[in-house]
Amino acid sequence: MKTIVELFTRYKFILIVLLLSALAVVDLANYGLPPTHDGEYHIMRIWQFYRVLSDGNIFPLWAPDFNNGFGVPLFNYVYPLPNYIGSFFHWLGFSLIDSYKLTMVFGNLLGAIFMYLFISQRWGKVSGLVAATFYTYAPYHLLDIYVRGSVGEVVALGVFPGILWSYEKFMKESRYRYFVIAACLLGLLILSHNILAMIFFPVFLIIEFFVIMSKTEKVKRIQQLVAASLVGVGLASPFWLPAILERKYVQGLQTSNPIDHFPELYKLIYSSWGYGFSGDNGAGQMSFQIGIAGLFVVILAVILTFFVRKIRREVFFYFLILLLTIFFITPYSSWIWERLPLVNYVQFPWRLLSISTFLIALLSGLIVRRDIYKKNIFPILISTFLILLSIGFSLNYTKAPFYHKRADNHYLIRSNFTDGTNSPGDAFNTIWLDNLPKKAKNKIELVGKGQIEIIKMSSQRYIFSVDLEENSIVNINTAYFPFWESIIDSEYSKTQNSNGVISLDVNKGVHEIEVFVRDSYLRKISYFIFYLSILMLVLLYKFRIGIMNNKNNHENCN
């Protein structure tokens, strides 16, 4: 009993954070699926990803059952980490629907814990608790869970504060393990959601550069920041490098124009909690609000700068980033969006609400720092008020309007879920197929006289034999993609593109044929970068290049 009391006393703030975070997602324990924008897409992705993993492919590329059974290179372009997490839960025995919801819960809990660790490390445990609460109950965070169903964004929001926590822990203590954790978490951020990673990465650099400017040995610290960033980006290269440089092989990656999705400024202050899509401007449109509690924190933080000089520099720095973020969310920045390269891949300007969500949570922790008040009772009272304010204004957003009372089979037996390309309007496909191909009776078909015997069929590999009476064409009813390769009687043979479908020219006689997905040269280069990044971590540890700031830190590390 004494041990339990001691553990509770030691970890009570973490336990409170976990409890408050769990309360925000407990509604997901209901049977079925909430009516989110993307939830059904993610369930089907977990289904296909798990199938490819089960066939022994550690880095899935192909979704074999989509596209009317002709497959699509979905996982070459779609962020994989939520699918790995969802597949793990499914492997444990949970349904696909529950695996998707558990991945959402995991991302939410992760964000709360990392936000607490990050802020408590800076300004104390009470500040960490307040910041974690504001982060968890931010309207945009809950919108991602209950309206948009964007599991990738929820996981990315979970990972991001962990990068700042671990990197600032490294700067504070010079312990190499935190350098490794920061680099790995940066890589995981990219694997969580490539678009949010593109948004969060510069924010991470700006914040840490701001911190470094108040430290000694600035040059060395900047070198460390660059090293951690390079390693983190390198660790994720097997995903982002092919996704960017091989996008020419698919169509439909750019599904929306940011110019069509600017919310009006007043909707950032408050807007009704609808479930409609962005851009339709209807009465039931999704909400873009920052939240009343969040606005109160911003106003309070600015007011405090007139009385507390100690926090003035930090408040105005984060307030400036927040203003810039709001500017880029609103139509006033349209002229910039039209001119900047690659911004179209952000798709929706309101995605930058993820930055405001983080900044407001950070400010909430900053304004309850114990060292800026003369009496300890003040930060406790203000913290309690802010926590109640945050939860109170968002409590109605922590539940779905209803649940589709469905099991996995509802999706797995319906062609509208299984046979498309897992994208809005079935736009996503290879450039050699303009439309969904008609379903084929067999995976392997012969144009000529002879027989086919199937030896083994898996998601990314087909093995069969043919006995041909004449030179023939063998059609593989799989969408043509340059990285499908074939071996005929132990010799490599080039696959052909026949109206967007794979075909082979095979001579008369008996042959054993293997058709499989190979790694592209670019993907092999990405593996090299991945292993090089691991080697860099080893070398940095071995030689302490730019890692330890001084002799004392080196001794502390040991």
Side-chain angles (χ1 to χ4, degrees):
M1 184 68 181
K2 184 179 178 181
T3 303
I4 296 174
V5 172
E6 289 175 349
L7 286 173
F8 177 79
T9 303
R10 184 175 180 181
Y11 297 108
K12 60 184 176 182
F13 283 95
I14 286 284
L15 293 174
I16 294 172
V17 167
L18 288 174
L19 175 62
L20 293 178
S21 177
L23 287 174
V25 291
V26 69
D27 192 70
L28 292 176
N30 281 292
Y31 175 75
L33 186 71
T36 60
H37 298 170
D38 298 338
E40 292 171 336
Y41 291 122
H42 289 298
I43 287 170
M44 301 308 291
R45 289 177 186 178
I46 293 172
W47 166 55
Q48 287 292 277
F49 200 85
Y50 181 77
R51 183 190 165 185
V52 180
L53 280 176
S54 300
D55 286 335
N57 302 290
I58 299 176
F59 302 109
L61 180 149
W62 202 256
D65 295 308
F66 292 150
N67 208 15
N68 273 331
F70 283 74
V72 66
L74 180 69
F75 303 123
N76 202 47
Y77 306 96
V78 172
Y79 41 84
L81 184 59
N83 292 324
Y84 279 112
I85 299 171
S87 294
F88 174 72
F89 284 124
H90 192 50
W91 176 75
L92 289 177
F94 292 97
S95 69
L96 292 169
I97 293 173
D98 287 341
S99 296
Y100 157 75
K101 293 193 293 184
L102 283 169
T103 304
M104 200 78 82
V105 171
F106 174 78
N108 185 65
L109 294 176
L110 193 68
I113 293 171
F114 275 147
M115 196 70 194
Y116 168 77
L117 291 174
F118 168 52
I119 298 300
S120 64
Q121 176 178 262
R122 279 192 170 193
W123 304 312
K125 294 180 179 180
V126 172
S127 290
L129 175 60
V130 174
T133 304
F134 267 83
Y135 197 59
T136 300
Y137 287 87
Y140 184 74
H141 208 158
L142 298 173
L143 182 93
D144 268 345
I145 296 172
Y146 290 106
V147 178
R148 298 187 60 228
S150 181
V151 67
E153 287 203 14
V154 173
V155 174
L157 285 164
V159 170
F160 179 63
I163 302 172
L164 293 133
W165 160 72
S166 53
Y167 191 76
E168 292 191 9
K169 187 81 167 176
F170 160 69
M171 284 200 294
K172 182 179 180 180
E173 300 181 6
S174 291
R175 292 180 182 269
Y176 181 70
R177 72 187 71 167
Y178 294 112
F179 181 89
V180 175
I181 293 172
C184 290
L185 286 175
L186 179 56
L188 290 176
L189 175 67
I190 298 171
L191 300 180
S192 300
H193 197 279
N194 45 333
I195 296 175
L196 273 200
M198 186 169 64
I199 293 170
F200 274 139
F201 182 56
V203 175
F204 162 68
L205 293 178
I206 291 169
I207 289 176
E208 294 310 327
F209 187 79
F210 175 75
V211 173
I212 288 171
M213 288 300 100
S214 63
K215 304 289 185 181
T216 58
E217 296 185 300
K218 294 178 178 58
V219 173
K220 179 176 285 189
R221 292 180 183 275
I222 291 173
Q223 290 173 343
Q224 294 168 350
L225 181 61
V226 171
S229 300
L230 289 176
V231 172
V233 172
L235 290 173
S237 60
F239 165 61
W240 66 261
L241 194 61
I244 292 176
L245 298 182
E246 291 175 356
R247 65 184 187 274
K248 62 183 179 181
Y249 298 127
V250 292
Q251 54 187 315
L253 288 179
Q254 179 54 42
T255 58
S256 63
N257 186 349
I259 304 301
D260 299 329
H261 295 274
F262 285 115
E264 296 297 330
L265 181 59
Y266 76 90
K267 291 186 177 181
L268 299 184
I269 300 172
Y270 178 81
S271 51
S272 60
W273 196 259
Y275 287 80
F277 291 97
S278 167
D280 58 17
N281 294 319
Q285 187 187 46
M286 57 183 275
S287 177
F288 306 106
Q289 62 176 296
I290 290 174
I292 301 299
L295 291 173
F296 179 82
V297 162
V298 174
I299 294 170
L300 183 58
V302 173
I303 292 174
L304 276 176
T305 60
F306 292 98
F307 302 96
V308 185
R309 184 181 182 88
K310 190 172 186 177
I311 65 172
R312 191 171 298 168
R313 177 173 174 267
E314 289 177 291
V315 168
F316 280 126
F317 173 72
Y318 296 118
F319 182 65
L320 177 61
I321 300 176
L322 181 61
L323 286 180
L324 286 173
T325 301
I326 292 173
F327 169 72
F328 277 103
I329 293 173
T330 56
Y332 308 109
S333 64
S334 61
W335 59 277
I336 299 178
W337 285 89
E338 290 171 347
R339 289 167 175 80
L340 285 178
L342 298 179
V343 294
N344 280 347
Y345 288 98
V346 176
Q347 297 179 330
F348 312 112
W350 44 259
R351 265 203 170 111
L352 298 182
L353 285 168
S354 56
I355 300 177
S356 66
T357 293
F358 169 78
L359 291 173
I360 289 172
L362 187 151
L363 286 172
S364 72
L366 175 58
I367 62 178
V368 295
R369 285 174 56 174
R370 184 166 294 183
D371 60 339
I372 67 174
Y373 296 95
K374 293 182 179 180
K375 294 184 179 181
N376 289 338
I377 191 66
F378 290 147
I380 295 175
L381 291 175
I382 296 172
S383 298
T384 303
F385 171 73
L386 289 179
I387 289 172
L388 293 175
L389 188 73
S390 174
I391 297 175
F393 273 107
S394 296
L395 197 59
N396 287 334
Y397 307 149
T398 60
K399 56 186 177 182
F402 61 89
Y403 280 78
H404 297 294
K405 304 300 182 182
R406 299 169 179 172
D408 289 351
N409 276 343
H410 177 88
Y411 299 101
L412 300 182
I413 65 174
R414 282 171 167 75
S415 61
N416 57 314
F417 294 111
T418 61
D419 296 343
T421 61
N422 199 250
S423 67
D426 291 324
F428 187 92
N429 213 325
T430 65
I431 58 173
W432 298 277
L433 280 172
D434 293 331
N435 301 297
L436 292 179
K438 293 182 179 180
K439 277 191 173 183
K441 184 177 181 181
N442 300 304
K443 177 60 71 174
I444 314 296
E445 293 181 343
L446 182 63
V447 181
K449 295 181 179 180
Q451 293 182 337
I452 298 173
E453 181 182 351
I454 303 298
I455 299 174
K456 182 179 180 180
M457 302 291 287
S458 63
S459 54
Q460 295 187 169
R461 184 179 298 269
Y462 318 136
I463 302 175
F464 58 97
S465 63
V466 294
D467 185 357
L468 304 179
E469 299 177 16
E470 59 186 13
N471 295 345
S472 304
I473 296 174
V474 177
N475 286 328
I476 314 296
N477 288 319
T478 296
Y480 177 78
F481 198 66
F483 311 136
W484 279 96
E485 204 164 82
S486 63
I487 296 177
I488 301 177
D489 298 330
S490 301
E491 293 185 4
Y492 281 94
S493 177
K494 186 176 179 60
T495 58
Q496 307 291 328
N497 171 23
S498 177
N499 297 319
V501 177
I502 297 173
S503 68
L504 303 171
D505 293 326
V506 185
N507 294 329
K508 176 182 177 180
V510 179
H511 306 279
E512 184 170 305
I513 301 174
E514 183 176 358
V515 181
F516 58 95
V517 175
R518 66 168 174 84
D519 289 326
S520 66
Y521 291 113
L522 190 62
R523 188 172 280 258
K524 291 176 181 177
I525 291 172
S526 73
Y527 294 155
F528 174 77
I529 297 172
F530 171 79
Y531 290 119
L532 189 65
S533 300
I534 294 178
L535 178 62
M536 187 176 177
L537 284 176
V538 174
L539 292 176
L540 287 171
Y541 174 74
K542 185 174 180 61
F543 298 106
R544 301 296 200 274
I545 300 174
I547 295 300
M548 302 308 169
N549 292 323
N550 52 51
K551 183 178 179 181
N552 291 333
N553 284 337
H554 178 76
E555 292 172 352
N556 289 336
C557 185
N558 294 330

